[in-house]
Amino acid sequence: MTIAATPSTGSPQLLLGPALRHVGQDDATIWVETDRPCVVEILGHQEPTWCVAGHHYALVLVSGLPAGQSTGYDVRLDGHTVWPLADDPRPHPRIRTLDAGEPLRIAFGSCRYATSATVSDDDHFEPDALMVLARQLAGQDEAAWPHALLMLGDQVYADETSEATQQRIRQRRDITTGSREQVADFEEYTWLYAESWHDPDVRWLMSVLPSSMIFDDHDVCDDWNTSRSWREDMQKTDWWAERIIGGLSSYWVYQHLGNLSPADLAANELYQQVRGHGSDVEPLLRRFAQHADAEADGAKGTRWSYRRDFGPVRLLMIDSRCGRILDGDRSMVANEELTWISEQADGDYDHLLIGTSLPWLLARALHDIESWNEALADGVRGARLARWSESLRRAADLEHWAAFHSSFEKLADLIREVAQGKRGGRAPATVCVLSGDVHHAYVARAIYDEPMDAQVYQLTCSPLHNYVPTAMKVAFRLAWSRLAERTTRSLLSVLTRVPRTELNWTREAGPYFGNELMTFTAAGRIALVELATTRPHETDSRLHVVQRIALSTG
């Protein structure tokens, strides 16, 4: 998909968006990209664009909305209405503010490779779950729509570009050197977002469903921040520095800003600098990205994690990629960020959702392999086995929460305190960890060694649009078996003891494969989860429910 800016004459044009991002009880933020500087107006609220590397953006804050109601909107650039398109048959874009008294539905998933159109000649890919969801919702009453969409990583694939994007790269530079056919910098990242978000169905979907996002490895590079040795190898290349700057700068622009509440935006120093800057702010974002990337090397961190409250449902989104500490004691997030996360868990709410791109609870056999591998890589059996284990860690992607054992246990302890009602209010009915990454869907229930007042679950849904080779499907199915769990632990113990955890968990549903979407529904303290999938070569434009599980009965 090539989206070229129009000449500087005439009226400004909307290139991407509107993307409805944060929505509260009486306010909302809406993100847009335009082809030139202009003033964006939505529902009487105006915001001038700001410029990054020649691209123009705005995040419009709309306040004073009626609580619990739906308000239609259009987008005007310098006074000219540019959205919705006059011939669009889909429902008019609207903002639905939160109503604490009605059931809340939150849809989520991860791993969306471009669009169905980019892989139309590849039979491996089933229809894009977001495209199908959009077509389904366009024919429904909005009362049945989800209230929010969580995109849990790999919104774009910087290291696996489509043929159309590769053609653009070839026209711009020599692909026999540097990052080759992968994206190289901020400019090429803008092409990925244009390709992914300009799909007509998905574009409409993002204009009516508030979205919250977090990155994972493919947003930057496969195995991003797997380990210290991975970083050292990447830093020796002649292309990595520009890739990480482009990746984090574009993520801040296209994804992160919209995650923030109006209060968070007002307190965000970089955003206020960008808004008030009179020229191209690319140098500001470059310095910011370099600073953020240095956290893994022990520098002062940048917090990508954030909190959102949907009435009585609290979402804590945890960065499990950029905020890793790889120099010295290995950890998934820095201690300062973990303290912030812990503080956000305090309060009184009915359900706690913890979003993290990487699953907290894997199949137990896989969990034990990753924990065992980390112990060997840390040198408990000598330098030779440590080098072998480090190579295995990188080759087999052994870098989930289980491979950061101390962080796994700290998160388990935090969830324990919340589930026991020790964090400033009564215990919620459920604590659910929402994840993606592993290209299959499942529900696992955590079992602590003492009574819990809340039910604790791992809800994993991936991919939205990708595929899993048959061999991997077989491996994942085997990994969830009791035989694999017992056999793996016995075999691993030959080299060293598998690190212990007092936590146990059972598989309640799955594994399921294909393009899929989960929906968490809460009505007071009652909660359930529903898994729906697309079907190959099907054109009826609807998701098919394959599993419903009651998480809490009140």
Side-chain angles (χ1 to χ4, degrees):
M1 172 71 66
T2 300
I3 303 176
T6 57
S8 58
T9 58
S11 302
Q13 302 297 311
L14 188 66
L15 295 183
L16 280 184
L20 182 59
R21 300 303 310 274
H22 187 281
V23 171
Q25 289 188 325
D26 60 2
D27 56 21
T29 62
I30 301 173
W31 178 97
V32 299
E33 180 179 358
T34 66
D35 70 336
R36 69 194 71 178
C38 60
V39 174
V40 184
E41 181 180 348
I42 299 175
L43 292 174
H45 297 265
Q46 296 184 341
E47 183 74 14
T49 59
W50 34 272
C51 178
V52 183
H55 296 263
H56 305 277
Y57 309 94
L59 186 67
V60 181
L61 169 59
V62 178
S63 58
L65 294 166
Q69 294 187 30
S70 178
T71 303
Y73 71 91
D74 57 28
V75 179
R76 302 178 185 183
L77 305 182
D78 286 349
H80 300 278
T81 301
V82 296
W83 196 265
L85 301 177
D87 58 350
D88 193 342
R90 302 171 186 84
H92 196 88
R94 71 221 35 208
I95 303 168
R96 293 183 301 151
T97 50
L98 296 175
D99 182 348
E102 69 174 357
L104 178 74
R105 292 178 296 279
I106 298 178
F108 64 94
S110 82
C111 306
R112 181 171 178 261
Y113 182 79
T115 66
S116 287
T118 61
V119 291
S120 58
D121 58 348
D122 189 337
D123 291 338
H124 289 104
F125 285 84
E126 298 177 9
D128 174 8
L130 290 192
M131 176 191 73
V132 176
L133 175 66
R135 294 178 179 180
Q136 177 175 312
L137 299 189
Q140 290 180 338
D141 187 286
E142 67 177 283
W145 295 359
H147 296 86
L149 174 66
L150 309 185
M151 299 173 71
L152 298 167
D154 295 344
Q155 276 67 260
V156 293
Y157 278 70
D159 52 348
E160 298 178 20
T161 53
S162 69
E163 180 58 36
T165 296
Q166 290 176 27
Q167 290 178 7
R168 296 189 71 180
I169 292 173
R170 292 187 188 100
Q171 294 171 1
R172 182 177 187 242
R173 58 178 172 83
D174 180 5
I175 67 166
T176 64
T177 62
S179 61
R180 301 182 184 274
E181 71 277 4
Q182 301 180 21
V183 299
D185 54 18
F186 182 90
E187 174 63 26
E188 293 177 12
Y189 264 102
T190 68
W191 302 349
L192 293 186
Y193 285 104
E195 180 179 64
S196 181
W197 291 5
H198 199 262
D199 173 270
D201 293 300
V202 173
R203 191 175 187 180
W204 173 81
L205 183 73
M206 294 180 70
S207 76
V208 298
L209 288 191
S211 57
S212 299
M213 308 175 187
I214 196 68
F215 42 42
D216 200 21
D217 55 344
H218 291 287
D219 287 271
V220 174
C221 184
D222 188 28
D223 301 338
W224 176 28
N225 282 348
T226 294
S227 64
R228 181 68 208 166
S229 73
W230 181 92
R231 283 184 63 81
E232 291 172 347
D233 286 348
M234 298 301 288
Q235 289 164 350
K236 292 174 185 176
T237 69
D238 61 358
W239 56 269
W240 171 249
E242 200 60 33
R243 164 75 71 79
I244 191 64
I245 289 172
L248 293 180
S249 296
S250 61
Y251 175 79
W252 188 86
V253 171
Y254 285 84
Q255 299 191 51
H256 182 65
L257 278 182
N259 293 330
L260 304 180
S261 69
D264 288 335
L265 288 169
N268 189 291
E269 183 177 349
L270 178 60
Y271 177 60
Q272 296 307 322
Q273 289 177 338
V274 165
R275 287 184 69 211
H277 211 282
S279 57
D280 197 310
V281 299
E282 183 184 18
L284 286 178
L285 289 186
R286 289 181 66 88
R287 289 194 294 272
F288 167 78
Q290 290 170 324
H291 173 85
D293 178 55
E295 182 172 7
D297 301 325
K300 183 179 179 181
T302 297
R303 177 167 56 80
W304 300 102
S305 302
Y306 59 93
R307 165 184 156 187
R308 287 197 63 179
D309 286 337
F310 301 91
V313 177
R314 177 164 298 178
L315 169 68
L316 290 182
M317 194 74 86
I318 299 178
D319 160 27
S320 54
R321 277 292 173 187
C322 193
R324 295 178 176 185
I325 302 300
L326 303 172
D327 197 27
D329 293 336
R330 195 194 317 257
S331 60
M332 188 67 86
V333 293
N335 288 332
E336 294 82 0
E337 187 158 344
L338 184 61
T339 298
W340 180 88
I341 292 167
S342 179
E343 291 170 349
Q344 305 312 303
D346 292 345
D348 193 0
Y349 41 82
D350 288 336
H351 306 275
L352 176 62
L353 306 180
I354 299 176
T356 170
S357 62
L358 302 175
W360 172 54
L361 302 179
L362 295 166
R364 189 56 187 258
L366 295 179
H367 175 95
D368 287 346
I369 289 172
E370 295 202 6
S371 295
W372 164 87
N373 172 261
E374 181 192 29
L376 288 178
D378 286 343
V380 297
R381 289 294 184 182
R384 179 177 296 179
L385 274 178
R387 289 192 296 271
W388 173 82
S389 297
E390 174 63 27
S391 297
L392 179 61
R393 180 186 183 94
R394 293 172 56 174
D397 293 346
L398 306 181
E399 37 102 33
H400 297 82
W401 283 86
F404 293 79
H405 183 73
S406 64
S407 297
F408 174 90
E409 294 294 342
K410 288 176 182 177
L411 182 56
D413 289 342
L414 172 60
I415 292 173
R416 179 198 304 265
E417 292 181 1
V418 172
Q420 290 179 330
K422 297 180 178 179
R423 302 310 300 253
R426 65 171 179 168
T430 66
V431 180
C432 298
V433 180
L434 314 183
S435 306
D437 179 70
V438 291
H439 286 205
H440 65 288
Y442 61 90
V443 176
R445 183 170 62 89
I447 303 172
Y448 282 84
D449 57 357
E450 55 190 296
M452 297 289 113
D453 296 322
Q455 298 294 317
V456 179
Y457 293 93
Q458 170 73 60
L459 309 179
T460 301
C461 184
S462 160
L464 291 166
H465 185 228
N466 215 307
Y467 72 94
V468 182
T470 300
M472 289 185 64
K473 292 181 181 180
V474 173
F476 283 133
R477 291 188 189 280
L478 289 175
W480 278 107
S481 69
R482 291 294 182 90
L483 176 62
E485 179 181 337
R486 294 192 297 267
T487 303
T488 299
R489 182 171 287 269
S490 298
L491 292 175
L492 297 180
S493 298
V494 173
L495 287 178
T496 192
R497 179 179 297 176
V498 177
R500 290 182 57 81
T501 177
E502 299 302 322
L503 183 68
N504 288 303
W505 54 97
T506 60
R507 174 170 53 95
E508 302 293 297
Y512 293 98
F513 299 94
N515 292 336
E516 50 208 3
L517 187 76
M518 274 189 179
T519 302
F520 172 89
T521 300
R525 293 177 66 83
I526 298 173
L528 63 85
V529 67
E530 178 179 275
L531 173 67
T533 66
T534 65
R535 290 184 178 174
H537 315 298
E538 193 165 274
T539 59
D540 67 351
S541 300
R542 63 189 179 96
L543 293 163
H544 299 266
V545 176
V546 297
Q547 183 75 62
R548 286 190 182 93
I549 294 180
L551 305 176
S552 169
T553 57

